Amino acid sequence: MEKEKKNIAILGSTGSIGTQALDVIRANPDTFAVEVLTGHGNADLLIKQALEFNPNTVVIADESKYQYVKDALQPKDIKVFSGNKAIAEVVQMGSVDMVLAAIVGYAGLESTISAIKANKQIALANKETLVVAGALVTQLAKENGVNLYPVDSEHSAIFQCLAGEFHNPIEKIYLTASGGPFRGKDRAFLSSVKKEQALKHPNWDMGAKITIDSASLMNKGLEVIEAKWLFGLATEQIDVIVHPQSIVHSIVQFTDGSMKAQMGLPDMKLPIQYAMAYPDRIKSDFPRFDFMKYPQLTFEPADTKTFRNLALAFEAMNRGGNAACILNAANEIAVEAFLKDKVGFLEMSDIVETSLQKVSFIQNPSYEDYVATDKEVRVMAQEMIKHSAVKK
Ligand code: NDP
Ligand code: MG
Protein backbone atom coordinates (compact mmCIF):
# COMPACT_ATOMS: atom_id res chain seq x y z
CA MET A 1 0.00 0.00 0.00
CA GLU A 2 1.27 3.46 -0.79
CA LYS A 3 2.34 5.38 2.30
CA GLU A 4 0.54 8.66 2.89
CA LYS A 5 2.62 11.78 2.45
CA LYS A 6 3.31 13.95 5.47
CA ASN A 7 1.84 17.43 4.92
CA ILE A 8 4.23 20.04 6.22
CA ALA A 9 3.71 23.70 7.09
CA ILE A 10 7.04 25.48 6.73
CA LEU A 11 7.09 28.67 8.78
CA GLY A 12 9.97 30.82 7.58
CA SER A 13 10.30 29.01 4.25
CA THR A 14 12.33 31.88 2.76
CA GLY A 15 15.09 31.54 5.37
CA SER A 16 18.17 29.37 5.64
CA ILE A 17 16.39 26.47 7.40
CA GLY A 18 13.23 26.93 5.33
CA THR A 19 14.99 26.70 1.97
CA GLN A 20 16.99 23.67 3.10
CA ALA A 21 13.78 21.99 4.27
CA LEU A 22 12.41 22.55 0.77
CA ASP A 23 15.56 20.93 -0.64
CA VAL A 24 14.79 17.88 1.49
CA ILE A 25 11.16 17.84 0.33
CA ARG A 26 12.19 18.29 -3.32
CA ALA A 27 14.40 15.21 -2.98
CA ASN A 28 11.62 13.18 -1.30
CA PRO A 29 8.39 13.99 -3.13
CA ASP A 30 6.78 10.66 -2.18
CA THR A 31 7.33 11.21 1.53
CA PHE A 32 6.53 14.90 2.07
CA ALA A 33 4.13 17.47 0.65
CA VAL A 34 4.10 21.21 1.31
CA GLU A 35 0.82 22.42 2.79
CA VAL A 36 1.79 25.90 3.98
CA LEU A 37 4.64 28.29 3.20
CA THR A 38 5.32 31.53 5.07
CA GLY A 39 7.83 34.34 4.64
CA HIS A 40 8.26 37.84 5.94
CA GLY A 41 9.93 40.29 3.57
CA ASN A 42 11.16 38.12 0.72
CA ALA A 43 7.96 38.06 -1.35
CA ASP A 44 9.67 37.07 -4.60
CA LEU A 45 11.23 33.94 -3.14
CA LEU A 46 7.97 33.03 -1.40
CA ILE A 47 6.11 33.31 -4.73
CA LYS A 48 8.75 31.23 -6.50
CA GLN A 49 8.51 28.53 -3.82
CA ALA A 50 4.71 28.52 -4.00
CA LEU A 51 4.77 28.13 -7.77
CA GLU A 52 7.12 25.17 -7.44
CA PHE A 53 5.60 23.35 -4.46
CA ASN A 54 1.93 24.29 -4.94
CA PRO A 55 0.92 24.55 -1.26
CA ASN A 56 -2.66 24.93 -0.06
CA THR A 57 -1.86 28.25 1.66
CA VAL A 58 0.82 30.96 1.67
CA VAL A 59 1.24 33.67 4.29
CA ILE A 60 3.40 36.76 3.88
CA ALA A 61 4.01 38.26 7.33
CA ASP A 62 4.74 41.73 5.95
CA GLU A 63 1.23 43.01 5.25
CA SER A 64 2.42 45.64 2.78
CA LYS A 65 3.39 42.83 0.38
CA TYR A 66 0.06 41.00 0.51
CA GLN A 67 -1.37 42.31 -2.76
CA TYR A 68 1.86 41.62 -4.62
CA VAL A 69 1.90 37.97 -3.51
CA LYS A 70 -1.84 37.58 -4.02
CA ASP A 71 -1.61 38.89 -7.60
CA ALA A 72 1.33 36.65 -8.45
CA LEU A 73 -0.44 33.53 -7.18
CA GLN A 74 -3.85 34.49 -8.64
CA PRO A 75 -3.66 31.98 -11.51
CA LYS A 76 -3.01 29.13 -9.05
CA ASP A 77 -5.50 27.77 -6.58
CA ILE A 78 -3.38 28.87 -3.60
CA LYS A 79 -4.85 30.79 -0.66
CA VAL A 80 -2.88 33.89 0.34
CA PHE A 81 -2.99 35.64 3.72
CA SER A 82 -0.80 38.17 5.49
CA GLY A 83 0.34 39.01 9.02
CA ASN A 84 1.61 36.99 11.95
CA LYS A 85 -1.91 36.34 13.27
CA ALA A 86 -2.65 34.54 9.99
CA ILE A 87 0.45 32.36 10.43
CA ALA A 88 -0.77 31.36 13.88
CA GLU A 89 -4.17 30.48 12.39
CA VAL A 90 -3.15 28.51 9.31
CA VAL A 91 -0.91 26.13 11.30
CA GLN A 92 -4.11 24.82 12.88
CA MET A 93 -5.63 23.66 9.56
CA GLY A 94 -6.78 20.04 9.65
CA SER A 95 -4.68 19.18 6.61
CA VAL A 96 -1.39 20.08 8.32
CA ASP A 97 0.42 17.09 9.88
CA MET A 98 3.65 18.74 10.93
CA VAL A 99 4.83 22.30 11.47
CA LEU A 100 8.46 23.18 10.83
CA ALA A 101 8.99 26.21 13.09
CA ALA A 102 11.80 28.04 11.28
CA ILE A 103 10.94 31.69 11.83
CA VAL A 104 13.83 33.49 13.49
CA GLY A 105 13.51 34.96 16.99
CA TYR A 106 10.66 35.81 19.31
CA ALA A 107 8.44 36.31 16.24
CA GLY A 108 8.16 32.51 16.02
CA LEU A 109 6.69 32.01 19.50
CA GLU A 110 3.00 32.65 18.85
CA SER A 111 2.69 30.36 15.81
CA THR A 112 4.58 27.53 17.54
CA ILE A 113 2.29 27.71 20.56
CA SER A 114 -0.71 27.79 18.26
CA ALA A 115 0.49 24.67 16.42
CA ILE A 116 1.05 22.82 19.70
CA LYS A 117 -2.47 23.70 20.82
CA ALA A 118 -3.78 22.17 17.60
CA ASN A 119 -1.86 18.92 18.32
CA LYS A 120 0.50 19.27 15.35
CA GLN A 121 3.83 17.51 15.33
CA ILE A 122 6.54 20.14 15.66
CA ALA A 123 9.95 20.15 14.01
CA LEU A 124 11.54 22.91 16.06
CA ALA A 125 14.28 25.09 14.59
CA ASN A 126 13.16 28.26 16.34
CA LYS A 127 15.19 27.83 19.54
CA GLU A 128 14.09 31.25 20.82
CA THR A 129 10.64 29.74 21.48
CA LEU A 130 12.09 27.54 24.23
CA VAL A 131 14.46 30.22 25.48
CA VAL A 132 11.65 32.75 25.93
CA ALA A 133 8.93 30.48 27.26
CA GLY A 134 10.36 27.00 27.76
CA ALA A 135 8.28 26.19 30.86
CA LEU A 136 5.03 27.16 29.19
CA VAL A 137 5.79 25.60 25.79
CA THR A 138 6.95 22.23 27.17
CA GLN A 139 3.96 22.11 29.54
CA LEU A 140 1.59 22.79 26.63
CA ALA A 141 3.31 20.13 24.54
CA LYS A 142 2.90 17.62 27.37
CA GLU A 143 -0.78 18.46 27.86
CA ASN A 144 -1.46 18.10 24.15
CA GLY A 145 0.63 14.96 23.66
CA VAL A 146 2.78 16.81 21.13
CA ASN A 147 6.38 15.87 20.42
CA LEU A 148 8.94 18.60 19.79
CA TYR A 149 11.46 17.18 17.31
CA PRO A 150 14.66 19.21 17.49
CA VAL A 151 16.13 20.61 14.27
CA ASP A 152 19.05 22.43 15.88
CA SER A 153 22.00 20.16 15.04
CA GLU A 154 23.25 19.72 18.62
CA HIS A 155 19.80 18.86 19.94
CA SER A 156 19.14 16.58 17.00
CA ALA A 157 22.41 14.85 17.90
CA ILE A 158 21.27 14.34 21.50
CA PHE A 159 17.87 13.16 20.27
CA GLN A 160 19.48 10.68 17.88
CA CYS A 161 21.72 9.37 20.69
CA LEU A 162 18.63 8.87 22.85
CA ALA A 163 16.78 6.76 20.28
CA GLY A 164 16.11 3.44 22.01
CA GLU A 165 17.29 4.94 25.33
CA PHE A 166 14.38 7.17 26.30
CA HIS A 167 13.83 5.17 29.51
CA ASN A 168 17.48 5.50 30.55
CA PRO A 169 18.32 8.57 32.62
CA ILE A 170 20.83 11.06 31.23
CA GLU A 171 23.76 11.83 33.52
CA LYS A 172 25.05 14.68 31.44
CA ILE A 173 25.12 16.14 27.95
CA TYR A 174 27.96 17.90 26.16
CA LEU A 175 26.84 20.47 23.61
CA THR A 176 29.59 21.04 21.09
CA ALA A 177 30.37 24.55 19.83
CA SER A 178 32.51 25.46 16.85
CA GLY A 179 33.77 28.54 18.68
CA GLY A 180 32.79 30.68 15.69
CA PRO A 181 35.03 33.00 13.66
CA PHE A 182 36.57 34.66 16.74
CA ARG A 183 37.70 31.58 18.65
CA GLY A 184 40.95 32.32 20.50
CA LYS A 185 40.61 36.09 20.12
CA ASP A 186 40.79 38.49 23.08
CA ARG A 187 38.56 41.38 24.10
CA ALA A 188 40.90 43.98 22.60
CA PHE A 189 40.48 42.30 19.22
CA LEU A 190 36.73 41.89 19.64
CA SER A 191 36.18 45.53 20.56
CA SER A 192 36.73 46.61 16.97
CA VAL A 193 35.33 43.71 14.90
CA LYS A 194 32.72 44.56 12.28
CA LYS A 195 29.69 42.68 11.07
CA GLU A 196 31.46 41.54 7.89
CA GLN A 197 33.95 39.58 10.02
CA ALA A 198 31.28 38.24 12.37
CA LEU A 199 29.13 37.07 9.46
CA LYS A 200 31.87 34.72 8.22
CA HIS A 201 31.17 31.49 10.07
CA PRO A 202 33.87 28.85 9.55
CA ASN A 203 31.57 25.80 9.25
CA TRP A 204 27.90 26.74 8.82
CA ASP A 205 26.01 28.92 6.35
CA MET A 206 23.04 30.33 8.29
CA GLY A 207 20.75 33.35 8.66
CA ALA A 208 22.33 36.63 9.84
CA LYS A 209 20.96 36.60 13.39
CA ILE A 210 22.16 33.12 14.33
CA THR A 211 25.51 33.77 12.62
CA ILE A 212 26.13 36.77 14.87
CA ASP A 213 24.90 34.72 17.85
CA SER A 214 27.43 32.04 16.92
CA ALA A 215 30.26 34.56 16.80
CA SER A 216 29.32 35.94 20.23
CA LEU A 217 28.61 32.47 21.75
CA MET A 218 25.07 33.64 22.51
CA ASN A 219 23.90 30.90 20.16
CA LYS A 220 25.46 28.29 22.47
CA GLY A 221 23.89 30.03 25.45
CA LEU A 222 20.46 29.87 23.81
CA GLU A 223 21.12 26.21 22.99
CA VAL A 224 21.96 25.38 26.60
CA ILE A 225 18.54 26.73 27.61
CA GLU A 226 16.90 24.96 24.67
CA ALA A 227 18.49 21.67 25.82
CA LYS A 228 17.31 22.15 29.39
CA TRP A 229 13.69 22.30 28.23
CA LEU A 230 13.85 19.70 25.46
CA PHE A 231 15.48 17.04 27.59
CA GLY A 232 14.37 18.07 31.10
CA LEU A 233 17.87 18.70 32.44
CA ALA A 234 19.31 20.59 35.40
CA THR A 235 22.11 23.15 34.94
CA GLU A 236 24.81 20.78 36.25
CA GLN A 237 23.87 18.26 33.58
CA ILE A 238 24.71 20.58 30.68
CA ASP A 239 28.26 21.28 29.59
CA VAL A 240 29.62 23.12 26.56
CA ILE A 241 32.76 21.98 24.80
CA VAL A 242 34.41 23.77 21.90
CA HIS A 243 35.03 21.50 18.93
CA PRO A 244 36.20 23.63 15.99
CA GLN A 245 35.69 20.99 13.28
CA SER A 246 31.90 20.68 13.93
CA ILE A 247 31.91 16.93 13.24
CA VAL A 248 30.79 15.64 16.64
CA HIS A 249 27.42 17.37 16.93
CA SER A 250 26.88 16.62 20.64
CA ILE A 251 27.27 13.88 23.21
CA VAL A 252 25.09 12.14 25.80
CA GLN A 253 26.63 10.56 28.89
CA PHE A 254 24.49 7.93 30.61
CA THR A 255 24.50 6.91 34.29
CA ASP A 256 26.88 4.01 33.64
CA GLY A 257 29.44 6.48 32.27
CA SER A 258 28.98 5.40 28.67
CA MET A 259 28.93 8.23 26.14
CA LYS A 260 27.18 8.34 22.78
CA ALA A 261 27.97 10.97 20.19
CA GLN A 262 26.38 11.72 16.83
CA MET A 263 28.75 12.65 14.03
CA GLY A 264 28.67 13.82 10.45
CA LEU A 265 29.62 16.68 8.19
CA PRO A 266 28.06 19.99 9.17
CA ASP A 267 24.95 20.06 6.98
CA MET A 268 21.61 21.25 8.40
CA LYS A 269 19.69 19.20 5.86
CA LEU A 270 20.45 16.09 7.92
CA PRO A 271 18.85 17.23 11.21
CA ILE A 272 16.00 18.87 9.27
CA GLN A 273 15.30 15.60 7.46
CA TYR A 274 15.65 13.53 10.65
CA ALA A 275 13.08 15.71 12.43
CA MET A 276 10.66 15.62 9.51
CA ALA A 277 10.95 11.86 8.91
CA TYR A 278 11.26 10.65 12.52
CA PRO A 279 11.37 7.79 13.42
CA ASP A 280 12.55 6.79 9.94
CA ARG A 281 15.88 7.53 8.36
CA ILE A 282 15.59 8.43 4.71
CA LYS A 283 18.31 7.59 2.23
CA SER A 284 20.15 10.74 1.20
CA ASP A 285 22.93 11.77 -1.14
CA PHE A 286 24.41 14.35 1.26
CA PRO A 287 28.24 14.23 1.13
CA ARG A 288 29.73 11.59 3.45
CA PHE A 289 32.35 12.18 6.14
CA ASP A 290 35.90 11.12 5.26
CA PHE A 291 38.15 10.33 8.25
CA MET A 292 41.29 11.05 6.24
CA LYS A 293 40.19 14.64 5.67
CA TYR A 294 39.81 15.10 9.44
CA PRO A 295 42.79 13.31 11.02
CA GLN A 296 42.27 15.36 14.18
CA LEU A 297 39.07 16.09 16.02
CA THR A 298 39.92 18.48 18.84
CA PHE A 299 38.16 19.72 21.98
CA GLU A 300 38.81 22.70 24.24
CA PRO A 301 36.97 24.62 26.96
CA ALA A 302 34.75 27.59 26.10
CA ASP A 303 36.19 31.00 27.00
CA THR A 304 33.32 32.54 28.97
CA LYS A 305 35.48 35.43 30.22
CA THR A 306 35.95 36.78 26.72
CA PHE A 307 32.57 35.62 25.41
CA ARG A 308 30.36 36.67 28.31
CA ASN A 309 27.10 35.80 26.59
CA LEU A 310 27.49 32.14 27.40
CA ALA A 311 27.89 32.90 31.12
CA LEU A 312 24.94 35.30 30.97
CA ALA A 313 22.75 32.60 29.43
CA PHE A 314 23.69 30.13 32.20
CA GLU A 315 22.88 32.86 34.74
CA ALA A 316 19.48 33.55 33.14
CA MET A 317 18.71 29.83 33.07
CA ASN A 318 19.56 29.50 36.77
CA ARG A 319 17.35 32.44 37.69
CA GLY A 320 14.42 30.93 35.79
CA GLY A 321 11.11 32.85 35.50
CA ASN A 322 11.26 35.49 32.77
CA ALA A 323 15.07 35.91 32.93
CA ALA A 324 15.78 34.04 29.70
CA CYS A 325 12.98 36.00 28.00
CA ILE A 326 14.81 39.19 29.04
CA LEU A 327 18.12 37.79 27.79
CA ASN A 328 16.60 36.87 24.44
CA ALA A 329 14.82 40.17 23.78
CA ALA A 330 17.88 42.23 24.73
CA ASN A 331 20.02 40.04 22.49
CA GLU A 332 17.67 40.35 19.51
CA ILE A 333 17.78 44.14 19.76
CA ALA A 334 21.56 44.12 20.30
CA VAL A 335 22.20 41.88 17.29
CA GLU A 336 19.94 43.98 15.07
CA ALA A 337 21.86 47.09 16.16
CA PHE A 338 25.24 45.41 15.59
CA LEU A 339 24.12 44.44 12.07
CA LYS A 340 23.37 48.14 11.47
CA ASP A 341 26.77 49.21 12.89
CA LYS A 342 25.05 50.98 15.78
CA VAL A 343 26.79 49.11 18.59
CA GLY A 344 30.11 47.35 18.94
CA PHE A 345 30.54 43.59 19.25
CA LEU A 346 31.25 43.61 23.00
CA GLU A 347 28.47 46.08 23.69
CA MET A 348 25.97 43.40 22.76
CA SER A 349 26.77 41.58 26.03
CA ASP A 350 26.56 44.87 27.97
CA ILE A 351 23.04 45.42 26.68
CA VAL A 352 22.02 41.91 27.69
CA GLU A 353 23.61 42.17 31.11
CA THR A 354 22.10 45.55 31.93
CA SER A 355 18.67 44.36 30.80
CA LEU A 356 18.94 41.32 33.06
CA GLN A 357 19.75 43.63 35.98
CA LYS A 358 17.07 46.23 35.33
CA VAL A 359 13.93 44.53 34.04
CA SER A 360 11.52 43.28 36.73
CA PHE A 361 11.86 39.61 37.49
CA ILE A 362 8.73 37.44 37.38
CA GLN A 363 9.02 34.00 38.97
CA ASN A 364 6.07 32.25 37.29
CA PRO A 365 5.25 34.18 34.12
CA SER A 366 2.06 33.69 32.12
CA TYR A 367 2.04 34.05 28.33
CA GLU A 368 0.95 37.67 28.75
CA ASP A 369 3.88 38.26 31.13
CA TYR A 370 6.33 37.00 28.50
CA VAL A 371 4.77 39.30 25.89
CA ALA A 372 5.00 42.27 28.27
CA THR A 373 8.58 41.44 29.32
CA ASP A 374 9.67 41.16 25.69
CA LYS A 375 8.15 44.57 24.91
CA GLU A 376 9.65 46.25 27.98
CA VAL A 377 13.15 44.92 27.27
CA ARG A 378 13.05 46.00 23.63
CA VAL A 379 12.24 49.59 24.60
CA MET A 380 14.96 49.64 27.25
CA ALA A 381 17.57 48.07 24.97
CA GLN A 382 16.78 50.59 22.21
CA GLU A 383 17.39 53.38 24.72
CA MET A 384 20.80 51.92 25.55
CA ILE A 385 21.65 51.76 21.86
CA LYS A 386 20.78 55.43 21.38
CA HIS A 387 23.44 56.22 23.95
CA SER A 388 26.01 53.84 22.49
CA ALA A 389 29.51 55.23 22.13
CA VAL A 390 29.88 53.74 18.65
CA LYS A 391 30.18 56.52 16.08
CA LYS A 392 27.17 56.63 13.80
P1 NDP B 1 16.78 33.28 8.46
O1 NDP B 1 16.97 34.68 8.88
O2 NDP B 1 17.58 32.74 7.34
O3 NDP B 1 15.24 33.03 8.11
C1 NDP B 1 14.23 33.47 8.97
C2 NDP B 1 12.86 33.21 8.39
O4 NDP B 1 11.87 33.81 9.23
C3 NDP B 1 12.66 33.83 7.00
O5 NDP B 1 11.74 33.05 6.29
C4 NDP B 1 12.04 35.18 7.34
O6 NDP B 1 11.31 35.75 6.26
C5 NDP B 1 11.14 34.81 8.49
N1 NDP B 1 10.88 35.92 9.40
C6 NDP B 1 11.77 36.83 9.87
N2 NDP B 1 11.16 37.69 10.69
C7 NDP B 1 9.86 37.34 10.75
C8 NDP B 1 8.71 37.86 11.40
N3 NDP B 1 8.79 38.95 12.18
N4 NDP B 1 7.53 37.25 11.23
C9 NDP B 1 7.43 36.16 10.43
N5 NDP B 1 8.47 35.62 9.77
C10 NDP B 1 9.67 36.20 9.94
O7 NDP B 1 16.97 32.39 9.78
P2 NDP B 1 17.49 30.89 9.88
O8 NDP B 1 16.79 30.04 8.90
O9 NDP B 1 18.96 30.88 9.95
O10 NDP B 1 16.98 30.51 11.35
C11 NDP B 1 15.63 30.20 11.64
C12 NDP B 1 15.56 29.63 13.04
O11 NDP B 1 16.25 28.38 13.05
C13 NDP B 1 16.23 30.50 14.10
O12 NDP B 1 15.52 30.45 15.28
C14 NDP B 1 17.60 29.86 14.27
O13 NDP B 1 18.12 30.04 15.55
C15 NDP B 1 17.27 28.39 14.04
N6 NDP B 1 18.41 27.61 13.56
C16 NDP B 1 18.99 27.89 12.36
C17 NDP B 1 20.09 27.19 11.90
C18 NDP B 1 20.67 27.45 10.56
O14 NDP B 1 21.56 26.70 10.13
N7 NDP B 1 20.28 28.46 9.84
C19 NDP B 1 20.68 26.11 12.72
C20 NDP B 1 19.97 25.86 13.94
C21 NDP B 1 18.89 26.59 14.34
P3 NDP B 1 11.99 36.67 5.07
O15 NDP B 1 13.35 36.10 4.82
O16 NDP B 1 11.03 36.46 3.95
O17 NDP B 1 12.02 38.06 5.57
MG1 MG C 1 22.98 24.65 16.76
Side-chain angles (χ1 to χ4, degrees):
M1 201 182 79
E2 210 187 312
K3 220 175 149 183
E4 277 206 15
K5 289 186 198 179
K6 200 181 267 184
N7 287 329
I8 317 240
I10 305 186
L11 313 187
S13 65
T14 49
S16 161
I17 293 289
T19 50
Q20 293 181 83
L22 288 172
D23 291 341
V24 169
I25 294 177
R26 188 182 293 110
N28 297 282
D30 298 332
T31 311
F32 306 112
V34 178
E35 191 64 10
V36 174
L37 291 173
T38 85
H40 182 253
N42 197 344
D44 287 322
L45 181 56
L46 186 63
I47 291 165
K48 189 166 169 263
Q49 293 175 338
L51 292 174
E52 179 184 352
F53 288 94
N54 202 25
N56 175 304
T57 301
V58 159
V59 186
I60 179 91
D62 180 347
E63 302 190 7
S64 71
K65 303 207 162 133
Y66 167 73
Q67 201 57 47
Y68 182 71
V69 178
K70 172 102 183 137
D71 290 347
L73 298 179
Q74 190 69 40
K76 295 267 178 178
D77 192 19
I78 299 173
K79 296 187 203 74
V80 178
F81 301 101
S82 69
N84 274 303
K85 284 268 167 291
I87 300 181
E89 279 167 23
V90 300
V91 294
Q92 299 202 333
M93 292 192 313
S95 53
V96 170
D97 298 317
M98 172 176 261
V99 173
L100 171 61
I103 290 174
V104 60
Y106 174 88
L109 177 66
E110 189 187 0
S111 46
T112 308
I113 288 181
S114 171
I116 294 172
K117 285 185 175 162
N119 298 89
K120 303 301 180 190
Q121 297 175 57
I122 310 285
L124 187 70
N126 178 260
K127 65 190 86 188
E128 294 90 346
T129 289
L130 288 179
V131 173
V132 170
L136 185 109
V137 169
T138 48
Q139 179 60 29
L140 269 178
K142 208 166 144 193
E143 282 167 19
N144 288 279
V146 164
N147 289 321
L148 303 175
Y149 299 113
V151 168
D152 213 347
S153 59
E154 297 77 1
H155 307 73
S156 173
I158 305 275
F159 187 58
Q160 292 182 52
C161 292
L162 290 176
E165 303 262 17
F166 290 112
H167 61 292
N168 283 324
I170 298 171
E171 187 167 86
K172 190 168 184 163
I173 64 166
Y174 291 90
L175 293 179
T176 50
S178 71
F182 304 139
R183 182 174 63 89
K185 302 294 188 203
D186 60 16
R187 292 180 67 79
F189 177 89
L190 293 177
S191 64
S192 63
V193 297
K194 290 282 168 238
K195 62 170 186 254
E196 291 75 18
Q197 295 159 278
L199 282 170
K200 278 194 195 113
H201 196 279
N203 304 341
W204 301 95
D205 183 13
M206 311 176 286
K209 194 254 176 185
I210 182 174
T211 306
I212 301 301
D213 283 348
S214 299
S216 70
L217 285 204
M218 181 54 95
N219 182 50
K220 211 47 58 181
L222 302 181
E223 289 184 357
V224 165
I225 302 171
E226 181 186 13
K228 168 199 163 78
W229 292 113
L230 276 175
F231 306 113
L233 301 171
T235 306
E236 319 75 73
Q237 291 176 291
I238 310 173
D239 226 330
V240 170
I241 189 91
V242 173
H243 167 50
Q245 298 82 17
S246 296
I247 296 299
V248 175
H249 296 305
S250 280
I251 301 146
V252 180
Q253 180 176 309
F254 292 96
T255 47
D256 58 358
S258 176
M259 298 164 97
K260 276 167 103 175
Q262 187 263 336
M263 294 170 61
L265 290 172
D267 181 349
M268 282 310 297
K269 285 201 279 296
L270 205 146
I272 292 169
Q273 175 170 301
Y274 188 76
M276 292 200 316
Y278 182 85
D280 298 332
R281 285 192 187 273
I282 302 177
K283 202 166 168 355
S284 87
D285 60 4
F286 309 148
R288 272 26 178 188
F289 175 73
D290 177 349
F291 277 92
M292 295 314 121
K293 286 192 184 145
Y294 292 86
Q296 279 190 321
L297 296 182
T298 61
F299 302 90
E300 58 193 74
D303 177 0
T304 50
K305 286 220 166 60
T306 306
F307 298 91
R308 280 159 52 227
N309 280 346
L310 183 56
L312 289 171
F314 266 101
E315 189 188 311
M317 178 169 73
N318 286 335
R319 276 169 72 184
N322 63 342
C325 174
I326 299 171
L327 172 106
N328 179 71
N331 182 59
E332 285 191 25
I333 295 297
V335 170
E336 200 182 287
F338 177 71
L339 284 169
K340 291 182 181 154
D341 299 315
K342 287 187 180 165
V343 296
F345 189 80
L346 293 174
E347 262 183 290
M348 291 194 285
S349 307
D350 298 339
I351 292 167
V352 171
E353 187 166 24
T354 309
S355 302
L356 277 170
Q357 284 160 1
K358 288 202 173 156
V359 177
S360 346
F361 179 69
I362 305 170
Q363 185 67 61
N364 291 306
S366 63
Y367 179 71
E368 290 69 28
D369 290 330
Y370 286 123
V371 175
T373 299
D374 179 79
K375 266 211 182 98
E376 184 186 343
V377 176
R378 280 167 197 268
V379 172
M380 182 185 284
Q382 294 288 13
E383 271 308 304
M384 286 183 237
I385 288 158
K386 272 195 210 152
H387 300 115
S388 157
V390 172
K391 298 275 165 294
K392 314 253 154 59

